[in-house]
Amino acid sequence: MLTASIPESHMWRAIDAVRDLFCATIPSSGLLWAISDEDSTQRQCKGCGEICQLLRWGEVQRRRDSAYQGSSPPRIVHNSYLELKLCAGGGPGCDPCRLLRRAFLLEQITRQDAERLEHLGNQWPIHAVLNLSSSGDTALALAIKSPKAILFSATIHLSNEPRPPLPRKPTKGAPGLRSDLSALRQVIDSCHHQHSCSSNYRWSRRNPTWLLKILPDNLVQLVEGPPEPVNYVVLSYSWGDPATMPAAEWARIKGAGTKTINGRPVPERLNPFRVRDLPETMQDAITISASLGVSYIWIDNVCIPKGTNWDTEASLMHEVYGNSAFTLVASSSAKATDRLLYDRLAWTHPSKACQLREWWWLHNTQMPLDRVRFEAPVSLRAWTLQEERLSPRILYWAGQRWYWSCPECQVAETGELEWAPPAADTTPRSSPQRFLELCRTGDEHLLHEEWLDIVEAYTRRDLVAPRDRFLAIAGLAVRFYNAKAGSGGTVITEDYLAGLWKDNFARHLAWSVAGAVDSRRSLQDIAPSWSWASLPLQVHTRTKTPFKSSEHFKFIAAEHIDPAHTSSIFTRKTTGDPSTDYINRGRAVEERGRGVKVVEVQGRFRRFISEDAQDVPWDAIEWKRGGRSSFDFGAFPGQSIYARNSGNGSIISKDAHSGEVVGQLDYLVPSDNKNRVMSPYVQEGCEKEIMCLELGELAMLLLVSNRRRGQPESYRRVGVAIGYANRKGFFYGCETRKLRLA
């Protein structure tokens, strides 16, 4: 039963709230009462009276000071979400409560999120706070709060001006229980005919190798990509986590893949087959595409037949996504068996103008697109990062509405929700197409910064198969290289090195982890220690710290490259077509880059910890006061010391009478601590073995020798130190050495 895991007290609280509300709706109770002078049909409840008390508080503050900024004390407007829903429900209902209910629903990205609002375990009081800003903006912050945490939140905007209500029944351009795609078709047509997206961002005239052709009568057919360009949709979605779903469900998702016989797709796919044979997300994506007048769709699991050279297909993703009519991002789907098309609860009741205290008009706010981008389940999947960043035009399909993004505009489905509170700072709106824009303009500095941003986003995501670590970002690497190489260059210095780029190699080496991670999940069998790709999956990294190059650091060569990643493209003769030749070169550089294991570099080099330094406990030097954390070395005057935080991997080195350097180790020492030879971490008690290589003026790599692995001349990375302003002269007078990093 659903209630089996719910505390009994929660269940009875919800039942009592519902019972009380039914009793209160008897006319003599006075729970529902009309107070609007503007519209005698507008219904309001006692909870609205609590909001009116907040508005009175705000009016008093504004009379005292028109630029007043602050927040009111909280007030409870309803005892639970179910009570709010019933108050907003059928019959005349309560108009402000309908708007409050919609506000909570619009904050939910998936259908499951919206359904969680009604779960009995989430029935806690709804608190409201009135926020007044110095600019004159007024907003009502809502929160469903348990004793331990805020479970749900929403925002209502208040103004002195009404907004035109939408028609009572959903029509063109108006949101309803089911999406009316006529408004979306207008947006797409406008983009196609009035923007330069297609002409400026289309990669080539080539279609994907295989496409699904959408046929009448709910049929589809796998066909070879036509020789001439066609409009096709690309589906970006999450397969789901096999560990959290029944084995049969995962088998059904995997089973949607196209099998082959002698290298060709099976006849069952080359002949028309039923749409319902595919998982639900794919079914609804096909329906949406057909409704928008598109006759082809590309879905990875179906259009890359089993047995296909997966490495080659992965390096073509910049073409697949760059040439599409648009990419459909299944933001509302957590797994491939989730529906995209279903009743949207936010639009159960038609919208209408809503007013309190004669001059306060209430409006729903719009969820920023960035929240949909970064919080939807699909954003947890590594493959979808390049699917988004390589797409000139994107349709985000969220639970209650859609969003459209192209290089020239961003549009939300619901016109009434165009207003959004201004940001607290002047940070510009982020754009999913920023990477493509920089590739097109060729700004070298910003392009490298964007790659570092991509790395930060990518390392946080998950992969079903860790061996795909490089493949899931291959399309971005090809696009990056080609943006720098250009079609006519003869002397090209850029090179791809296991997820890093040679022309700014020191900067790219200076990544760090937010906190040391479990060494037992390391991927150093896939990537070298100096590459972020060697980290475990779903690790938060930092790449965008201030950096100024050191004149002493130099990249020399990539020494060891796995032969399995030396592409046959290298050995092909040029075709005579500069465009084709440089595209092939980009693919070859990416394939080769996956196999780089050892590089030779040069830079200033020294010990991280002095030989005479004393090991001291971390808590003997850490100084905390309030939310601040610093260091106090008063107990060790005139001594060289070092300390290591076993909890987060921080490590500090301080020479006598000099400032300290704080580093961050990549890995924690596991509790069993058995694998001493192949371990990626620094053994406890072996901290003095750490050496360091200067990367920038305030950035260094922390290294240990590979002599235990039989490679005395090479070093492996164990961490980094960045921003040691208290010890700017750490490398003064140190020797410059050539090192091999593995």
Side-chain angles (χ1 to χ4, degrees):
M1 295 178 61
L2 180 63
T3 58
S5 60
I6 301 173
E8 186 175 356
S9 60
H10 293 192
M11 181 176 65
W12 287 114
R13 184 185 298 110
I15 292 174
D16 288 342
V18 174
R19 182 192 62 203
D20 292 345
L21 183 62
F22 273 123
C23 295
T25 54
I26 300 172
S28 61
S29 72
L31 177 68
L32 296 180
W33 43 292
I35 63 171
S36 173
D37 297 330
E38 313 300 325
D39 181 0
S40 60
T41 65
Q42 180 166 308
R43 305 288 292 175
Q44 298 166 359
C45 68
K46 287 185 176 179
C48 300
E50 296 296 322
I51 297 177
C52 288
Q53 292 297 325
L54 296 176
L55 298 179
R56 291 189 185 98
W57 174 88
E59 293 161 9
V60 170
Q61 308 308 319
R62 289 292 194 212
R63 282 197 296 268
R64 293 173 178 171
D65 179 2
S66 60
Y68 176 83
Q69 180 173 344
S71 300
S72 71
R75 298 185 76 96
I76 295 178
V77 297
H78 275 292
N79 292 316
S80 68
Y81 176 81
L82 285 178
E83 182 182 281
L84 172 68
K85 178 186 175 183
L86 283 170
C87 191
C94 173
D95 295 322
C97 285
R98 288 180 174 179
L99 190 137
L100 265 60
R101 173 178 176 267
R102 177 176 292 136
F104 280 113
L105 287 166
L106 289 176
E107 290 294 310
Q108 313 311 313
I109 297 175
T110 70
R111 180 177 64 178
Q112 291 82 356
D113 290 337
E115 291 172 346
R116 284 196 308 117
L117 282 163
E118 299 189 18
H119 194 281
L120 291 180
N122 294 328
Q123 302 312 305
W124 295 94
I126 301 175
H127 298 257
V129 172
L130 187 68
N131 294 324
L132 304 177
S133 73
S134 57
S135 64
D137 291 318
T138 306
L140 192 68
L142 306 171
I144 299 176
K145 299 170 63 176
S146 76
K148 295 183 179 180
I150 295 177
L151 304 179
F152 302 93
S153 62
T155 302
I156 299 290
H157 175 59
L158 297 103
S159 71
N160 301 125
E161 298 293 332
R163 301 191 67 184
L166 291 175
R168 184 162 185 81
K169 293 182 179 180
T171 59
K172 287 186 176 181
L177 288 178
R178 292 297 179 102
S179 298
D180 184 341
L181 297 182
S182 59
L184 178 57
R185 279 195 292 270
Q186 293 176 12
V187 170
I188 296 175
D189 288 344
S190 174
C191 178
H192 180 71
H193 295 294
Q194 300 180 26
H195 298 171
S196 60
C197 306
S198 297
S199 59
N200 288 340
Y201 291 90
R202 187 181 183 96
W203 178 252
S204 69
R205 294 176 56 81
R206 187 159 49 190
N207 293 310
T209 307
W210 296 97
L211 286 168
L212 269 180
K213 187 173 184 179
I214 304 173
L215 304 173
D217 302 322
N218 290 317
L219 297 174
V220 288
Q221 179 182 7
L222 189 66
V223 299
E224 294 187 71
E228 294 299 318
V230 297
N231 280 338
Y232 64 91
V233 172
V234 174
L235 175 63
S236 177
Y237 66 110
S238 173
W239 287 31
D241 183 358
T244 61
M245 67 177 75
E249 187 176 11
W250 179 247
R252 181 166 171 252
I253 295 171
K254 292 277 287 183
T258 299
K259 300 178 178 61
T260 58
I261 299 177
N262 297 325
R264 290 278 298 174
V266 294
E268 291 83 354
R269 287 292 167 87
L270 294 176
N271 295 321
F273 64 97
R274 299 174 301 179
V275 172
R276 68 170 180 263
D277 291 343
L278 300 172
E280 284 74 4
T281 298
M282 301 180 195
Q283 293 178 31
D284 288 348
I286 292 168
T287 299
I288 293 169
S289 301
S291 299
L292 294 172
V294 183
S295 300
Y296 296 91
I297 187 169
W298 187 90
I299 302 174
D300 57 359
N301 197 20
V302 181
C303 297
I304 304 180
K306 297 181 185 301
T308 300
N309 187 323
W310 183 235
D311 287 21
T312 299
E313 290 294 326
S315 67
L316 291 172
M317 290 301 102
H318 61 293
E319 283 195 288
V320 171
Y321 289 88
N323 295 341
S324 66
F326 62 86
T327 295
L328 171 58
V329 178
S331 301
S332 65
S333 173
K335 57 184 185 296
T337 51
D338 285 344
R339 284 284 179 196
L340 299 180
L341 298 173
Y342 47 80
D343 285 345
R344 306 183 299 175
L345 299 177
W347 311 110
T348 303
H349 307 290
S351 298
K352 63 184 297 186
C354 184
Q355 185 183 26
L356 288 174
R357 285 192 57 73
E358 297 183 5
W359 55 79
W360 288 105
W361 294 87
L362 281 64
H363 311 294
N364 286 120
T365 63
Q366 177 174 294
M367 182 192 298
L369 174 57
D370 278 358
R371 274 201 56 201
V372 178
R373 291 181 59 203
F374 302 135
E375 297 181 18
V378 72
S379 70
L380 302 176
R381 181 172 174 248
W383 282 99
T384 60
L385 177 68
Q386 72 171 4
E387 294 168 7
E388 179 189 62
R389 303 290 179 102
L390 292 171
S391 299
R393 294 161 296 276
I394 307 173
L395 170 61
Y396 296 89
W397 195 269
Q400 306 298 321
R401 60 198 153 184
W402 50 258
Y403 294 78
W404 174 264
S405 177
C406 76
E408 298 187 32
C409 73
Q410 291 182 356
V411 181
E413 172 185 8
T414 43
E416 79 200 64
L417 300 177
E418 291 175 354
W419 183 90
D425 54 27
T426 58
T427 303
R429 178 188 66 188
S430 69
S431 168
Q433 290 84 16
R434 177 171 169 78
F435 174 72
L436 289 180
E437 291 171 355
L438 293 174
C439 286
R440 179 169 173 263
T441 60
D443 187 311
E444 184 173 0
H445 171 72
L446 292 180
L447 193 56
H448 275 280
E449 290 298 306
E450 184 68 12
W451 182 266
L452 295 175
D453 181 73
I454 286 170
V455 169
E456 278 195 8
Y458 185 67
T459 56
R460 300 181 184 193
R461 302 188 178 210
D462 199 10
L463 279 165
V464 173
R467 66 179 178 275
D468 291 341
R469 184 70 148 178
F470 287 122
L471 293 178
I473 204 172
L476 288 167
V478 173
R479 189 70 181 87
F480 181 100
Y481 177 84
N482 285 326
K484 292 199 65 179
S487 59
T490 56
V491 179
I492 301 172
T493 60
E494 189 61 281
D495 201 2
Y496 186 55
L497 307 167
L500 287 65
W501 293 97
K502 191 193 78 172
D503 282 358
N504 211 349
F505 195 57
R507 177 80 174 93
H508 287 238
L509 280 174
W511 56 266
S512 64
V513 293
V517 297
D518 187 348
S519 60
R520 291 166 293 188
R521 299 192 296 120
S522 166
L523 299 180
Q524 291 192 14
D525 58 329
I526 292 174
S529 67
W530 44 266
S531 169
W532 51 261
S534 65
L535 291 170
L537 301 174
Q538 295 181 287
V539 171
H540 284 225
T541 56
R542 296 171 179 152
T543 64
K544 304 292 287 293
T545 52
F547 186 89
K548 186 175 182 181
S549 299
S550 166
E551 62 181 18
H552 301 280
F553 181 88
K554 180 181 178 182
F555 174 86
I556 299 175
E559 284 200 349
H560 176 68
I561 303 168
D562 189 338
H565 295 277
T566 302
S567 172
S568 60
I569 297 176
F570 276 116
T571 62
R572 296 177 187 172
K573 294 182 179 180
T574 57
T575 64
D577 181 346
S579 176
T580 301
D581 289 341
Y582 103 92
I583 288 174
N584 286 340
R585 186 165 63 238
R587 291 172 55 194
V589 166
E590 185 280 323
E591 289 184 36
R592 173 183 180 273
R594 301 176 211 161
V596 174
K597 302 298 183 184
V598 179
V599 293
E600 186 179 8
V601 296
Q602 176 180 292
R604 291 198 290 190
F605 185 77
R606 60 160 285 179
R607 287 184 174 275
F608 180 62
I609 299 169
S610 299
E611 292 189 59
D612 62 344
Q614 175 187 349
D615 182 11
V616 300
W618 186 266
D619 56 11
I621 59 171
E622 188 176 32
W623 177 85
K624 289 184 177 181
R625 181 171 295 174
R628 296 176 55 202
S629 179
S630 186
F631 299 99
D632 182 354
F633 304 104
F636 310 97
Q639 297 182 52
S640 295
I641 64 171
Y642 71 94
R644 177 176 180 171
N645 187 329
S646 59
N648 63 15
S650 296
I651 188 168
I652 191 167
S653 171
K654 183 184 184 305
D655 291 340
H657 310 297
S658 298
E660 73 277 8
V661 177
V662 181
Q664 174 63 56
L665 298 176
D666 296 335
Y667 295 100
L668 295 172
V669 178
S671 55
D672 56 20
N673 198 15
K674 293 179 180 178
N675 191 0
R676 298 180 62 86
V677 176
M678 299 301 292
S679 62
Y681 53 86
V682 178
Q683 299 282 339
E684 292 180 345
C686 298
E687 289 81 7
K688 290 187 178 180
E689 296 181 5
I690 299 176
M691 308 300 290
C692 48
L693 173 71
E694 185 184 36
L695 298 175
E697 291 190 359
L698 293 176
M700 68 175 79
L701 275 186
L702 303 183
L703 308 166
V704 296
S705 173
N706 273 331
R707 62 180 180 273
R708 290 182 180 175
R709 301 186 180 187
Q711 303 170 31
E713 300 302 320
S714 73
Y715 290 82
R716 57 185 169 86
R717 171 190 160 127
V718 293
V720 70
I722 298 174
Y724 37 94
N726 291 336
R727 191 69 190 281
K728 294 181 179 180
F730 190 78
F731 285 97
Y732 286 174
C734 293
E735 66 170 329
T736 299
R737 287 181 53 179
K738 292 183 179 179
L739 304 175
R740 298 173 71 246
L741 304 180

